[in-house]
Amino acid sequence: MDAREAALQRAHDHAVRWLASLSERPVPACASVEDVVRALGPGLPDGPSSPADVVELLATACEPGLTAFPGGRFYGFVIGGSLPAALAADWLVSAWDQNCVMRRVTPAHTAVEDIAGAWLLDLLGLPTRSAVGFTTGATTANFTALAAARDTVLRRAGWNAARDGLTGGPRVRVLAGEGRHMAIDLALRYLGLGEPELVAADDQWRIDPDALRQALTTADAQPTIVVLQAGEIHSGAFDSFGDTVEAVHAAGAWVHVDGAFGLWAAASPAYAHLTEGCGQADSWATDAHKTLNVPYDCGLVVVRDPSTVRASMGQRGDYLIHDERGDSFEKVPELSRRGRAFTVWAALRSLGRSGVAALVERLCRHASAFAAGIADIDGARVLNDVIFTQVCATFGDDARTEQVLARLLDDGTAWISGSVWHDRRVMRISVSNWSTTDDDVRRTLDAIRRAAAAARP
């Protein structure tokens, strides 16, 4: 066995043991940063070490400091696990070591990206001729779509941002609901567009269509982008799309939909009504590592008119091998990038159409079970309409809710983090992992009951 094979075998053995431990190990990490630094040894060695020994040290030193994100009882953020086929495909992605940028250079990835992209458009009910780009995550997917939006609305106003920059050009107005995700604000900062103009939202943080129409009437033909949302981070609520999108288009504005986890509702017959009319928008962003459960580093951007995203993201280089049918690097910001489509293809191929729908419906069923179980706890109250995968609850005043959260993490059975919603401290449960079972939900509810009983007013 050569050094590479020995290192890979050692990594495989540790990975298998780690995954097998998830059902019983405490969900929070057991070691601190300082503990892991001591175990690794902070000093750089003077000489080389064998690859297998390096892997052994890394695995044994770091495992106590790992949080069980891939397990079925992590609900702290919108974080999915990795489906078995997607995880195995991701190992191949690293081993194959392809820079998946150009159609002619990496034909295997190009074929898989073409197939996976078409499957995604079909499952999500989006226009079949749209461009599909594979980005690092939902933040970069939003950035990419909003870049295409910015350049397009400026071009319509007679300004070429690609050539002349933003200085001296018309100001781009961006309208977004009060409940938009912070990734939208970050993407707008990256793009030099500043903060969005906020539009009123209802108690579930759905954008108010009438308030949006009123805001559009004051645009005075200013280049405008409207950001809608499929799945609010606290309530899981979806904006109303059909009539709203029509009104935005009538005002000459671009419609972008941030659907980091909620866009996948379209893949389920039971929940597709939540995204009705969403396919009329101009661009969409989602994250495959959330509801679809592929490994990290895999966001998805979809743009209705491929020419607009290529105008914003395309590059020319004499050393590049361009293909007249288009290349992957014309749809995303990165020139060098890993083969993300391989993992998406593997997830979709392993699930099939019915499996994707069943995954979405199972996550929603678990969220409803959490809401019902919490509602029966003395002093607890579920604040949101649980229509998708998010649950927000309080346990009386902010102080008691904070106590429940702290005691729950100390218990270790599950990880559920807190947030602030409508100026109240809340427990926020995000059900996102394919491996979460009915028993995981039962065990977690038991832990919540214990924490609530120990944190009496």
Side-chain angles (χ1 to χ4, degrees):
M1 184 181 295
D2 66 14
R4 180 165 58 189
E5 185 178 353
L8 289 171
Q9 185 61 53
R10 198 72 61 90
H12 170 271
D13 294 344
H14 278 285
V16 170
R17 281 196 294 271
W18 157 252
L19 294 171
S21 75
L22 293 173
S23 62
E24 297 304 326
R25 68 179 289 124
V27 180
C30 301
S32 67
V33 173
E34 293 75 19
D35 293 333
V36 177
V37 169
R38 281 193 294 271
L40 288 170
L44 178 66
D46 291 331
S49 304
S50 79
D53 288 345
V54 170
V55 172
E56 183 68 27
L57 174 60
L58 181 68
T60 55
C62 289
E63 186 172 315
L66 299 178
T67 298
F69 288 116
R73 286 171 283 112
F74 185 90
Y75 315 100
F77 312 101
V78 188
I79 289 179
S82 292
L83 289 159
L87 174 60
D90 198 54
W91 286 4
L92 285 176
V93 169
S94 293
W96 287 342
D97 198 20
Q98 302 288 288
N99 184 12
C100 299
V101 178
M102 291 172 281
R103 178 174 287 270
R104 296 185 191 179
V105 178
T106 52
H109 185 268
T110 300
V112 170
E113 184 171 308
D114 288 349
I115 294 170
W119 287 354
L120 288 164
L121 295 176
D122 181 25
L123 283 169
L124 300 177
L126 303 180
T128 57
R129 296 186 181 277
S130 301
V132 180
F134 292 74
T135 68
T136 55
T139 299
T140 311
N142 280 307
F143 165 82
T144 304
L146 290 169
R150 178 198 65 183
D151 294 352
T152 300
V153 298
L154 283 172
R155 191 159 50 247
R156 291 172 184 168
W159 187 264
N160 188 329
R163 183 189 63 209
D164 302 324
L166 298 179
T167 303
R171 178 173 175 78
V172 176
R173 188 185 192 204
V174 181
L175 302 175
E178 291 177 320
R180 86 277 174 221
H181 193 272
M182 59 189 177
I184 295 298
D185 294 42
L186 184 61
L188 296 175
R189 282 213 309 273
Y190 290 163
L191 292 165
L193 297 181
E195 295 182 352
E197 181 179 329
L198 299 186
V199 179
D202 66 13
D203 64 342
Q204 299 297 304
W205 283 134
R206 290 179 293 251
I207 199 167
D208 183 332
D210 292 333
L212 178 58
R213 288 186 180 90
Q214 181 61 37
L216 288 168
T217 62
T218 64
D220 294 328
Q222 185 176 354
T224 302
I225 301 167
V226 173
V227 179
L228 300 179
Q229 191 164 223
E232 199 276 329
I233 197 67
H234 289 94
S235 68
F238 290 65
D239 287 335
S240 173
F241 296 111
D243 292 344
T244 304
V245 174
E246 289 182 11
V248 175
H249 281 160
W254 177 292
V255 183
H256 172 65
V257 177
D258 174 16
F261 64 93
L263 202 59
W264 297 95
S268 161
Y271 291 92
H273 65 279
L274 296 171
T275 62
E276 186 176 354
C278 181
Q280 300 172 32
D282 299 293
S283 60
W284 305 261
T286 189
D287 209 330
H289 93 257
K290 298 185 186 298
T291 307
L292 187 60
N293 279 248
V294 307
Y296 275 103
D297 191 49
C298 195
L300 300 167
V301 58
V302 181
V303 181
R304 176 187 291 273
D305 182 352
S307 68
T308 60
V309 71
R310 286 173 178 148
S312 297
M313 295 293 136
Q315 304 175 58
R316 304 300 298 180
D318 292 338
Y319 69 95
L320 298 177
I321 303 173
H322 292 274
D323 191 285
E324 63 277 2
R325 291 166 295 179
D327 290 290
S328 297
F329 69 81
E330 296 178 306
K331 300 178 286 186
V332 295
E334 310 99 329
L335 192 57
S336 295
R337 64 190 186 95
R338 62 190 281 109
R340 301 176 183 123
F342 288 126
T343 59
V344 173
W345 180 91
L348 295 177
R349 184 66 174 82
S350 68
L351 291 171
R353 187 183 304 276
S354 63
V356 176
L359 171 59
V360 171
E361 290 160 16
R362 185 166 67 250
L363 299 177
C364 294
R365 177 169 58 81
H366 290 326
S368 296
F370 272 119
I374 290 172
D376 287 338
I377 298 174
D378 184 40
R381 180 187 170 200
V382 176
L383 299 183
N384 65 307
D385 299 331
V386 181
I387 62 167
F388 200 56
T389 58
Q390 308 298 296
V391 182
C392 275
T394 63
F395 294 82
D397 60 20
D398 286 358
R400 185 178 182 227
T401 299
E402 191 63 46
Q403 285 186 54
V404 173
L405 289 165
R407 292 179 184 276
L408 185 62
L409 288 182
D410 288 342
D411 178 274
T413 300
W415 179 296
I416 301 176
S417 58
S419 186
V420 176
W421 193 47
H422 289 305
D423 298 321
R424 299 186 66 179
R425 187 67 172 157
V426 296
M427 171 186 286
R428 187 175 71 89
I429 299 173
S430 296
V431 187
S432 306
N433 197 306
W434 71 275
S435 66
T436 298
T437 63
D438 292 340
D439 186 59
D440 286 324
V441 175
R442 179 192 60 76
R443 290 172 62 185
T444 303
L445 282 170
D446 286 345
I448 294 172
R449 292 186 188 101
R450 291 193 298 271
R456 296 196 177 280

